[in-house]
Structure formats: C-alpha cells, structure tokens
Amino acid sequence: LCLQVFDSQGSDVTPLPLVAVVDDPDPKTREKSSLEEVLFKKGSSIFKSSTPTDVVSSRYGDIQTHKPINMEGHSMFIGTPDKIFLEIIRFVLLLLSEFPRKPVAEGFDIILSETDTISLLDLPPTLVSEDAEDADAVKQRNRDYAEFCSSKMGSDNFFERSSQTLVGEHKCKYTQTDTNKSVNKGTIATTWDIYDSFSMSTENRETRESERVDYLTRTRNKQDVSEVTMSRETGKSFSENQAYFFGVSSAAETDADLFMLKTESNLEKILSSEAFMKSVSIMERVIVLNIFQPKLAAFRGLPNEEDEERITEEKGHYLTPTLEPLWTFVSPLTRGHNITCMTWNKKNPDILAVGYVGGSSGNPQPGLICCWSLKNLVWSERVFSCHSSVTCLEFSSSNPSHLAIGMYDGSVAIYNVQVGDDTACIANSRDCAKRHTQPLQLSGEEREEVLVSVSGDGRITKWLILHNDFNCVDLMILKRSSGQGRKQSIGGGRKQSIGGGRKQSIGGGRKQSIGGGHMHKCSLSNSDHFLDTYCKHPSPVTHIEWSPIYSDVFLSTSSDGTIQLWKVDTLNPKMSFTSVQSIVDSVKWSPNCGTVFAAIYRHRVEVWDLCQSIMRPTLVHHAEPGVTLSSLLFAKGSDSILVGDSRGEVTVYKLKNFRVGKPKKVNKLVGKLATQENLIICWISFSLKCICKHQANL
Amino acid sequence: MTILYFSLHHFIIEGHKGVIGTIIVNSEGLPIRTTLDNSTTSLYARLLRSFTTLARSAVRDVDPQNDLTFVRIRSKKQEILVAPENNFLLIVIQNPSE
C-alpha cells in the first residue's frame, strides 16, 4: 500500500522504508559499526523524523529487508534499539556458529534477514477526504500539530527523554557493615589539671597517661573508653578469688567483666607501702583524739559541755581541790618499769620524754626512753632502748630534737628524736675515757647550749661534741668534806642567767650518808671552790628545784620529809614545809603560778599553794596501794600534773577546784621588777603570818 | 642498741574504742579489705570516693600546689575519717562517744 503524505507546504513527507537495499560485500564490519552507533548514541537522532533518509541509509544500509517499515507522519517512531540489537545479534551468532562446520575457505553467502516487525503500537491514521466538511478543521489541526512539533525542538518546556515501558522487577540487595561506634570523651579543665599538665614535661606526661591510676586526673564521665582500655593494657590477670570482688562501685565502671584484677597482690602492695603506714598513723591519731577529746579539752583548759553544767550547779560551794585523772601514758613495753624522769620538749610542748628503769632497781639493765605525744595517747611515738637505766633526761633548747640522757652507769648519750630508729643516738659516752661512776643529773644552760652533768663521783663536767667525738671537760670537782662517808647520788639544779649577768650558777647538792645533807652553790665561771654552802637538812638531799619564775628561790627536799625554801643569798632556809614523815622524792614548781609547787612522797602527791596556806598542802592525792610514785612533772599552760609511778605508767591529773587567786599580785610585783627587795618583802610577809616549824628548828 | 618496735597500726586501729569499721579501697574504687559487710562497704566506698575526689578538686582549685591530706565528716551518730592517697583510700568509721 503506497501512500503519499504531503505536508502543508506540499513537500513530500512520505515515509520511506527504514531499511534500504544495498549490496555490500562486507556485511559484518559495517554491521558492527552500525550496531555500536545504535547502542551508544543517544537515541534522539534515530527518532528524528526530519532526516529519515540519512538515518536509514547510515544505520541500516546493510541489512536486506523485504518488508518496509510503516512510518507515520504524526506518530513517533517507536522501536527499541534493544530489540533490533537482539535480533541482529541473533543473526550474527547464527552465522558464527556455522563457521566451524565449513573450514574450507570457500566463499559463502551470508544472508541476513529480518524478522517480522513486532508492532507495539499501531495507530492507523484517520483519512479524511479533502472535500469533506471538516477538511479545513483537520488541516488546521495538522498544521497546529506540525507547529507544535517544530516548536518542541528548542523549547525549554520539553526535553527529550527515553522511557521504558517494561519495568523490571525490583530486587532487594542487602549489605552489611560494621556499626559506627561512637565514643564520648570529655574532660574538665580545672585549675589544678592545667597546673599539673604544665608542671610535667611531655615525656613524663605520656608515661603517666599510660599507667595512670591516679585519683586526681580520673574523670567521672560515663563510658570513658580510655579508662577501660587502660585497664586492659596493664595486663593484669583475672583473679579467681571472688571474695574480694565486691561488685561495681560506680556507673562509670559498669563493664565488670572487662576489669582484670589481681586483687591479692594489690592489697599486699598497698599494705606494705610507706604511704599507707603514714596514713594509718595519722588515722590512728585522729581516732585517739576523738576518743580522748573530753580529756584533752580538760587538759587544755577548754570548757567541756558536761562540766559547765556541774559548775553552774555548784557555784559558790567550796569544793576540796582534787586531782582528777585524765588519762594514762602506758604501753605494753613500759609496764613494770619504774619511771625516773620526765621532761617536756622545749619547742613543741606536746612532746613528752619519759625515762624508764630497766627491770628492777639495783642491777643496771637496759633502760628505756619513750617519747609520747599528746596526739596519740595510746602508743608512744618513739621508743629507744639504752644499755643502762635512765636516771635523768633533758631536751635541748637550741636543738629541740636533741635529747640528752644520763644513765645509771655513768654514761651520757644524746638522741635525736626525729629519727625513729636505731640511728637516733648521736653521741654516747660509753666509749669515752672519762666516765662517771655514778648516776648523773643533767642540766642544760640557756645562752650557749652547754650540757653539764653532775654525777655521784663529785664531778661536774661539761660535755662537748667534736666531730664524732663526745668528750667531757671537768668543770669542777666537789670536794669531799672530811670524815664523811661515801658519796651518794647528787641532786643538781640549774639556774638561768639573769639579764646580762655572766654568772651562771649551778646548785650542786651533795648527800652524805651520815649527817646532814649539804648544798653547794657553784658557778661555771669560778670552778675552784664553792660559792656558798647551804646546810640545813639532816638527811640526804634528794632534790633541788629552782623556781622558774623567781630566779633567786629554790626548793630542796630531803629524805627527812621536809621541803625547804631557800633564797640564794641567804644561807638559811626561808621556809620549811612538812606534812608527813616520808621521803620526799622530788619537788617541782608550777610553771604557771609562782607560789605553787608539788612534791612527791613515796605514796602521795601533795600540791602546795603558798598563797592559801604554808602549813599544809592544798591538795593531797594518794597513790593506789602497791604503787610507788616516783616522778612528777607540771604541764606548762595547763592545770595538770603528770605523775609517774613504779608500774611504768604516767598518769595525767587535772587540778580540779584548785583556785589560785591571789598570786597574781605577787607575780606582778616580783616578775616584772625581779628585784630582791620585793622578794624579801613578800616572803617576810608570809613568814610573819604563820607559826612555822623552821624557826623552831633553827 | 636501740630496738625498734614496729606496731602494726592497721590492726590496732580496728581495736580502738568506738571504731565501727575499716575499709581500704584501691585506686579503681574496689574495696580490698574491710571489716563491714559487703553492701555497706560498697556503699561507703562508692560514695566516699567521689566525695574525696570532689574535696580534693576543691582544695586544689584554690591553690594547685596544695593537696588534700585528710577528710573528716562528723555526723550526729558517727564520724567518718578518710585518708586519701594516690593509690588507695583508707576509711574508718568511728563512734566517738561510745
């Protein structure tokens, strides 16, 4: 059926057959090129109807066909390049498959033919005769359509696009990837963190971070992965001991199974570390302070809550002064050792040094020195063992940590109490050539720190430390008075130099077995003879004590049971105090009040207040039966007395209801001026008041 | 010839009057030695560790050269004493008025 279609201009737009008949000797190559062009070019040019001739001739010139392709003017050429391609390929493969059967180089004909055209869409045109009524309308429509088609080309409203009518099936494809892990890491830049980072060098910082177990820099963020990885890196092995594994303690460490712990060795390492010991000792002190807090408050004179209630109730009543026991310094090491001497540290008044006699008296056995601190009332801070019983000890003023002790066998040693172990003994006169043969008393001088000891063999010696040597220089030898017996132990006292006075005196006492006890005043500057001799006591003098407030006054005690009060320039005692016929071991002035002193008898303690009475002691305290009191010490700044006994215990007593009212006047008078006239006046006034025994003795 | 007497302070602490319990916590916050039961121990360890860190942070914020040495929390019924160190924490709970 041959049709001829003319457009409005009358040009021939008859659709030509798509495939032209062309003889070509080499069909395949041409075919391939045309196939490629078909495949890879965008299909727009194929479907242009404006140049059908060119398309046909260039694309399909090689293919013989017997059937023309219908082509309509106003409909798009619909054909799929895929379809044609498939058909062509099929032909090629068919041909190729026939090749191996004919290896002979013969010419053969390849006839390619096309299959039937599969018509996808067939819209036959409606033919309208030119003479019909609506021929004009149809023509107009044709014209409009042609205009529309031509305007579509360069118009922006339209664009060429291929479309596929057959939509393939959707296929789900699954992929699997690792989850993206997110890690939160944060830090708090505190002031100290910045300071720490600055104060460390970079190498230290890296090594520190890798093994950081520090509390300081550990952040509190949750899911701190760096923390977890660090614990992994330390390579600790898992412990089977579940008893120590108490479970997780905070939200930041929720991954319990990640923690590899070796808890047993950890515990031992901590327990043996030095920091732990130090912490434990501090903790112990705190605990002890907590336990003894009311007692220590009473010691310091701080008001206690319970006491205040009682005081308000009993105001106005006169209560007998008593000694209220506060606590006891005792430890298992010191039990059973007699206490011979006690002294406070000069610099730190909370430290007390106590000297013990080793074993029972008589045989020189290893003695003991304990340093107690008020911060730990339960255990002594330092314990030193000496080769002989300790008779006296004294802290140094210029080196507050040096403690000088004198021992029963006549040797002198100096300990450094800051060191807690065996190397504390700085100097020991055990190897010294000159030695005392008798127990010593020590005294340390004020201005130039001189260690002077007085011993039973009558020598007063000054000790010097030269390099590693501990040597002594005899200052004076107390002459034996003729006809007297063997010397006994000597009591020594000391006197502090007054103002600018160069005179430094020592009161040396000498006891004799028979007859009266004498006391000698000696001077360091004048070592030839005694300056004065005080004779009063019929029996050996046990102790001499200078008053810490009145520099001219001293007390002496003897085994006759009397206490004599002397003034330096008077060879007769000013006053005498007697209460019981018992050996007075020691007497001490109170450092707080100038007229108070305490005396130790074998089984009682007496506290005298000269303002209240000079006839009898203000306070008497009896020791427990079977216990001998041996040592006495006042506490400066506190109304307390320390009493050492034969059981090895130092009991701290508080002077309760001990009102010392008047002596303030006396103190003012005497303390400020320190003139002798005033002193005499005071003492005279006392002596006028009372009927004293000493006058009778004199 | 000085004999050094070494007192095992740690065990003495537990024997003092009024001491309710002792806990040692290592650096990771796990109690490694205790005289109380498990639940109380872990409770104290967890709470006091964070408290001590906070206290130390406060002290060092004021002056970075300073450092915390001891923490005492006194309450109506008892007193909690904490000695913080770099690699452990020593906690003692005491009732001082017993």
Side-chain angles (χ1 to χ4, degrees):
Chain A
L1 191 70
C2 239
L3 281 176
Q4 286 202 327
V5 181
F6 296 95
D7 62 1
S8 55
Q9 276 84 26
S11 50
D12 190 2
V13 289
T14 310
L16 294 167
L18 194 64
V19 180
V21 179
V22 174
D23 271 334
D24 203 345
D26 193 3
K28 282 193 222 59
T29 54
R30 288 268 187 104
E31 197 182 333
K32 275 178 194 165
S33 62
S34 69
L35 278 172
E36 284 170 16
E37 288 172 43
V38 169
L39 282 174
F40 294 114
K41 258 208 176 155
K42 295 280 182 190
S44 56
S45 52
I46 299 175
F47 305 109
K48 278 189 186 155
S49 55
S50 52
T51 56
T53 316
D54 296 339
V55 170
V56 170
S57 61
S58 63
R59 297 293 184 271
Y60 304 104
D62 306 328
I63 300 174
Q64 292 180 11
T65 181
H66 299 291
K67 294 180 184 160
I69 298 172
N70 283 339
M71 202 167 170
E72 278 88 12
H74 67 281
S75 67
M76 300 269 289
F77 168 68
I78 297 168
T80 57
D82 291 359
K83 271 278 191 243
I84 298 167
F85 168 61
L86 284 172
E87 297 298 333
I88 295 165
I89 288 294
R90 209 180 295 161
F91 285 123
V92 171
L93 287 173
L94 200 65
L95 293 170
L96 287 173
S97 63
E98 295 201 345
F99 261 104
R101 294 181 198 166
K102 293 176 186 173
V104 181
E106 286 177 3
F108 51 88
D109 298 326
I110 297 174
I111 302 169
L112 296 172
S113 66
E114 207 177 78
T115 56
D116 294 340
T117 304
I118 300 164
S119 173
L120 292 172
L121 179 67
D122 190 9
L123 287 175
T126 314
L127 300 171
V128 174
S129 164
E130 285 215 359
D131 299 328
E133 297 86 24
D134 50 353
D136 290 334
V138 172
K139 279 189 193 166
Q140 179 62 37
R141 268 172 47 210
N142 282 349
R143 259 177 274 147
D144 289 339
Y145 183 72
E147 274 177 30
F148 176 67
C149 283
S150 61
S151 74
K152 248 171 54 167
M153 282 302 139
S155 160
D156 284 334
N157 294 338
F158 299 94
F159 70 96
E160 297 279 349
R161 183 174 74 85
S162 63
S163 69
Q164 185 176 0
T165 54
L166 294 174
V167 178
E169 246 180 60
H170 282 267
K171 182 179 168 184
C172 287
K173 185 156 186 193
Y174 299 98
T175 59
Q176 198 168 12
T177 60
D178 291 331
T179 58
N180 288 338
K181 288 181 191 161
S182 69
V183 169
N184 288 337
K185 190 167 170 89
T187 184
I188 303 170
T190 53
T191 313
W192 48 263
D193 204 1
I194 297 169
Y195 174 83
D196 279 348
S197 310
F198 268 124
S199 60
M200 281 192 295
S201 63
T202 49
E203 298 92 8
N204 289 346
R205 201 185 303 142
E206 282 159 14
T207 54
R208 201 169 161 230
E209 275 176 355
S210 65
E211 45 173 59
R212 184 179 295 165
V213 287
D214 205 71
Y215 264 83
L216 261 181
T217 48
R218 188 169 288 267
T219 60
R220 300 296 304 158
N221 286 325
K222 313 215 179 206
Q223 320 224 327
D224 196 344
V225 180
S226 59
E227 232 178 299
V228 173
T229 53
M230 261 190 294
S231 60
R232 281 202 208 122
E233 282 162 29
T234 49
K236 297 175 185 168
S237 61
F238 187 71
S239 164
E240 300 291 334
N241 195 349
Q242 293 293 325
Y244 287 110
F245 198 84
F246 285 122
V248 206
S249 55
S250 76
E253 293 122 349
T254 48
D255 295 332
D257 52 334
L258 290 175
F259 275 108
M260 311 295 203
L261 290 174
K262 204 169 186 187
T263 50
E264 286 194 3
S265 74
N266 207 0
L267 173 69
E268 283 163 16
K269 199 166 55 146
I270 287 180
L271 282 185
S272 59
S273 69
E274 196 188 312
F276 182 73
M277 286 297 143
K278 192 161 160 289
S279 287
V280 162
S281 65
I282 294 177
M283 182 70 76
E284 194 186 356
R285 280 189 181 184
V286 172
I287 292 175
V288 167
L289 284 177
N290 268 344
I291 294 171
F292 287 103
Q293 196 267 338
K295 309 280 199 266
L296 281 172
F299 179 79
R300 302 266 185 214
L302 298 172
N304 203 4
E305 296 160 357
E306 301 144 10
D307 276 353
E308 277 182 4
E309 296 167 9
R310 269 188 280 150
I311 286 171
T312 52
E313 285 172 12
E314 300 160 346
K315 222 187 253 181
H317 297 266
Y318 177 74
L319 297 166
T320 53
T322 51
L323 284 186
E324 180 193 345
L326 292 178
W327 71 84
T328 308
F329 284 118
V330 68
S331 84
L333 303 164
T334 66
R335 251 179 235 287
H337 297 285
N338 198 9
I339 294 178
T340 49
C341 43
M342 299 186 285
T343 180
W344 292 104
N345 190 324
K346 300 285 186 297
K347 186 169 173 210
N348 185 353
D350 287 343
I351 296 179
L352 175 75
V354 182
Y356 299 84
V357 165
S360 50
S361 62
N363 304 335
Q365 281 188 15
L368 210 60
I369 306 168
C370 279
C371 282
W372 294 87
S373 165
L374 280 182
K375 292 186 184 167
N376 190 348
L377 309 179
V378 172
W379 191 264
S380 60
E381 297 289 320
R382 300 277 187 265
V383 177
F384 305 114
S385 171
C386 330
H387 60 268
S388 168
S389 302
V390 179
T391 52
C392 52
L393 44 74
E394 186 86 23
F395 269 108
S396 157
S397 305
S398 56
N399 292 333
S401 61
H402 287 184
L403 176 68
I405 66 164
M407 286 181 265
Y408 192 82
D409 66 350
S411 51
V412 172
I414 298 182
Y415 281 81
N416 182 7
V417 297
Q418 276 179 347
V419 178
D421 55 10
D422 290 354
T423 61
C425 183
I426 298 178
N428 199 328
S429 72
R430 201 165 21 154
D431 308 324
C432 174
K434 310 180 214 173
R435 274 175 27 156
H436 295 295
T437 55
Q438 293 290 337
L440 312 183
Q441 295 266 342
L442 291 184
S443 55
E445 293 293 322
E446 273 278 319
R447 292 189 323 157
E448 331 149 339
E449 263 280 292
V450 166
L451 181 61
V452 177
S453 65
V454 179
S455 83
D457 58 358
R459 293 184 310 154
I460 302 173
T461 61
K462 180 166 80 168
W463 292 85
L464 312 154
I465 301 178
L466 306 161
H467 305 290
N468 299 329
D469 215 7
F470 194 37
N471 216 337
C472 59
V473 169
D474 272 347
L475 292 177
M476 181 176 295
I477 297 179
L478 299 172
K479 294 187 286 252
R480 303 177 194 207
S481 54
S482 56
Q484 298 298 331
R486 190 175 69 88
K487 289 201 174 74
Q488 306 265 337
S489 56
I490 306 181
R494 94 188 103 96
K495 179 187 170 184
Q496 293 148 15
S497 58
I498 316 161
R502 298 294 307 169
K503 193 165 128 184
Q504 290 172 340
S505 315
I506 305 174
R510 183 179 53 153
K511 292 186 283 190
Q512 296 181 354
S513 57
I514 304 169
H518 296 260
M519 284 172 288
H520 304 281
K521 181 170 93 169
C522 329
S523 162
L524 277 184
S525 47
N526 186 354
S527 59
D528 289 338
H529 55 85
F530 313 130
L531 299 174
D532 284 314
T533 305
Y534 306 91
C535 303
K536 175 64 194 156
H537 289 283
S539 43
V541 174
T542 51
H543 195 78
I544 294 178
E545 186 78 14
W546 290 92
S547 166
I549 298 180
Y550 311 118
S551 46
D552 290 349
V553 174
F554 66 92
L555 282 170
S556 69
T557 68
S558 80
S559 42
D560 62 355
T562 59
I563 305 169
Q564 311 283 343
L565 179 84
W566 305 77
K567 222 172 135 312
V568 163
D569 49 1
T570 314
L571 292 181
N572 281 329
K574 292 277 177 207
M575 273 191 224
S576 160
F577 311 101
T578 316
S579 62
V580 286
Q581 283 298 328
S582 162
I583 301 175
V584 187
D585 275 325
S586 173
V587 69
K588 286 272 183 351
W589 284 97
S590 161
N592 310 317
C593 177
T595 58
V596 173
F597 65 89
I600 275 216
Y601 299 74
R602 280 290 154 84
H603 295 282
R604 43 198 268 169
V605 177
E606 292 183 356
V607 180
W608 293 72
D609 184 7
L610 297 175
C611 292
Q612 293 194 355
S613 159
I614 63 169
M615 291 304 295
R616 43 187 191 82
T618 315
L619 194 154
V620 175
H621 175 85
H622 292 270
E624 291 168 30
V627 175
T628 312
L629 305 175
S630 52
S631 182
L632 180 68
L633 190 65
F634 268 96
K636 191 162 186 179
S638 155
D639 287 338
S640 305
I641 288 184
L642 282 78
V643 177
D645 58 22
S646 58
R647 287 179 302 188
E649 298 180 5
V650 178
T651 313
V652 179
Y653 292 95
K654 185 164 166 66
L655 297 167
K656 246 185 108 177
N657 307 319
F658 195 83
R659 274 166 304 187
V660 209
K662 280 211 183 167
K664 286 180 192 155
K665 266 195 255 172
V666 180
N667 280 347
K668 274 190 213 161
L669 280 171
V670 180
K672 281 183 189 169
L673 303 177
T675 58
Q676 296 186 3
E677 291 80 8
N678 282 339
L679 193 60
I680 293 169
I681 289 170
C682 295
W683 291 121
I684 288 173
S685 69
F686 278 115
S687 63
L688 282 174
K689 273 187 196 168
C690 58
I691 305 164
C692 307
K693 273 189 192 171
H694 71 276
Q695 294 199 349
N697 282 344
L698 281 175
Chain B
M1 192 173 65
T2 312
I3 305 168
L4 180 71
Y5 292 95
F6 178 70
S7 67
L8 296 174
H9 285 283
H10 180 69
F11 306 103
I12 285 179
I13 279 186
E14 288 160 8
H16 272 303
K17 190 177 75 158
V19 171
I20 299 174
T22 313
I23 305 170
I24 304 180
V25 182
N26 69 352
S27 51
E28 274 115 17
L30 293 175
I32 51 179
R33 195 199 152 96
T34 176
T35 60
L36 302 167
D37 54 294
N38 280 7
S39 57
T40 319
T41 302
S42 54
L43 184 70
Y44 270 112
R46 174 171 54 89
L47 295 171
L48 287 171
R49 185 158 169 262
S50 52
F51 183 82
T52 312
T53 311
L54 187 65
R56 182 176 254 165
S57 175
V59 167
R60 294 203 74 206
D61 258 348
V62 169
D63 179 9
Q65 290 171 336
N66 207 354
D67 200 3
L68 186 71
T69 49
F70 207 82
V71 175
R72 285 167 88 156
I73 306 171
R74 198 174 176 105
S75 66
K76 271 196 260 185
K77 295 189 187 169
Q78 65 207 22
E79 179 161 1
I80 303 172
L81 313 161
V82 182
E85 288 289 335
N86 272 346
N87 32 348
F88 65 90
L89 206 64
L90 174 63
I91 303 169
V92 172
I93 301 140
Q94 185 194 16
N95 188 356
S97 58
E98 241 177 51

